[in-house]
């Protein structure tokens, strides 16, 4: 291998390692949240799970309580996070009437806070309106994905600061 080729390879390896290290250090800065909505036939309910990075969840919890402590997601902060999610997420029927969504609980799982909600319904809806502006008040470039699994089909809705409402309709009711 020539000295020039060796230095090019060394530069390439260093560039890749630097990019990988930077990505790992700033991974929590990604303005992204994931929500899943699935129908549970046995429970007669839509089960909703919000997955937020701990750093973002702590900031959101701070907005609902009088504390500057965002270093630990203990029971008080998880409860505050549940209140935050209740204010910034909602479901609607096909006439635009809100569907009652109840907070079930929240827990930490690795680097993520999970917030659980459910909506009791008589049957799986054929269509569903979703409002999701989680973390938009914290991150101007926030992107929220909502995966909806109904009638054996999964669809993804994407929400941004410019688009906080979306409607899902089953193509084959």
């Amino acid at each position: 291998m020539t000295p020039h080729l060796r230095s090019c390879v060394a530069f390439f390896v260093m560039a890749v390692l630097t990019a990988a290290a930077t990505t790992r250090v700033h991974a929590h800065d990604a303005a992204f949240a994931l929500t899943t909505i699935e129908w549970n036939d046995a429970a007669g309910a839509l089960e909703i799970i919000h997955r937020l990075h701990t750093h973002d969840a702590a900031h959101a919890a701070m907005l609902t309580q009088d504390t500057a402590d965002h270093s630990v997601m203990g029971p008080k902060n998880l409860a505050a996070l549940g209140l935050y999610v209740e204010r910034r997420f909602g479901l609607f029927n096909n006439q635009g009437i809100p569907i009652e969504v109840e907070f079930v609980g929240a827990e930490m799982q690795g680097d993520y806070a999970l917030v659980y909600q459910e909506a009791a319904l008589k049957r799986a809806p054929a269509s569903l309106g979703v409002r999701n502006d989680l973390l938009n008040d914290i991150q101007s470039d926030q992107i929220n994905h909502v995966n909806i699994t109904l009638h054996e089909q999964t669809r993804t809705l994407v929400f941004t600061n410019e688009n906080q409402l979306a409607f899902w309709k089953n193509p084959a009711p």
Side-chain angles (χ1 to χ4, degrees), residues 7-79:
S7 68
C8 287
V9 169
F11 176 79
F12 176 77
V13 169
M14 288 303 291
V16 169
L17 290 175
T18 301
T22 304
T23 301
R24 182 181 174 110
V25 168
H26 296 290
H28 77 278
D29 290 338
F32 178 82
L34 175 65
T35 297
T36 58
I37 301 173
E38 294 184 10
W39 175 251
N40 182 329
D41 200 38
L46 288 171
E47 295 178 337
I48 305 156
I49 302 172
H50 306 278
R51 182 177 181 256
L52 311 169
H53 191 277
T54 304
H55 182 261
D56 298 329
H59 282 289
M62 281 180 19
L63 295 175
T64 61
Q65 58 186 347
D66 295 328
T67 182
D69 178 21
H70 58 89
S71 59
V72 178
M73 288 301 294
K76 183 178 177 183
N77 283 354
L78 288 171

Side-chain angles (χ1 to χ4, degrees), residues 14-171:
M14 288 303 291
V16 169
L17 290 175
T18 301
T22 304
T23 301
R24 182 181 174 110
V25 168
H26 296 290
H28 77 278
D29 290 338
F32 178 82
L34 175 65
T35 297
T36 58
I37 301 173
E38 294 184 10
W39 175 251
N40 182 329
D41 200 38
L46 288 171
E47 295 178 337
I48 305 156
I49 302 172
H50 306 278
R51 182 177 181 256
L52 311 169
H53 191 277
T54 304
H55 182 261
D56 298 329
H59 282 289
M62 281 180 19
L63 295 175
T64 61
Q65 58 186 347
D66 295 328
T67 182
D69 178 21
H70 58 89
S71 59
V72 178
M73 288 301 294
K76 183 178 177 183
N77 283 354
L78 288 171
L81 180 60
L83 290 173
Y84 173 86
V85 169
E86 284 181 331
R87 295 176 186 159
R88 303 195 69 88
F89 178 85
L91 300 178
F92 304 88
N93 67 15
N94 58 357
Q95 285 105 22
I97 298 170
I99 295 172
E100 186 176 339
V101 177
E102 293 184 21
F103 174 69
V104 176
E107 67 176 339
M108 295 303 302
Q109 191 174 78
D111 288 338
Y112 295 93
L114 303 179
V115 177
Y116 302 97
Q117 295 179 301
E118 70 178 18
L121 300 171
K122 293 182 181 186
R123 62 183 170 276
S127 59
L128 190 63
V130 179
R131 176 181 60 82
N132 187 339
D133 60 350
L134 296 174
L135 305 174
N136 286 350
D137 52 342
I138 297 169
Q139 296 274 2
S140 62
D141 59 345
Q142 180 68 29
I143 297 174
N144 296 320
H145 285 219
V146 177
N147 292 337
I148 301 173
T149 302
L150 293 170
H151 309 288
E152 299 179 11
Q153 295 185 13
T154 300
R155 298 280 190 263
T156 300
L157 303 177
V158 179
F159 299 85
T160 64
N161 272 332
E162 292 80 35
N163 173 31
Q164 299 171 0
L165 297 170
F167 195 73
W168 177 87
K169 183 172 178 163
N170 184 11

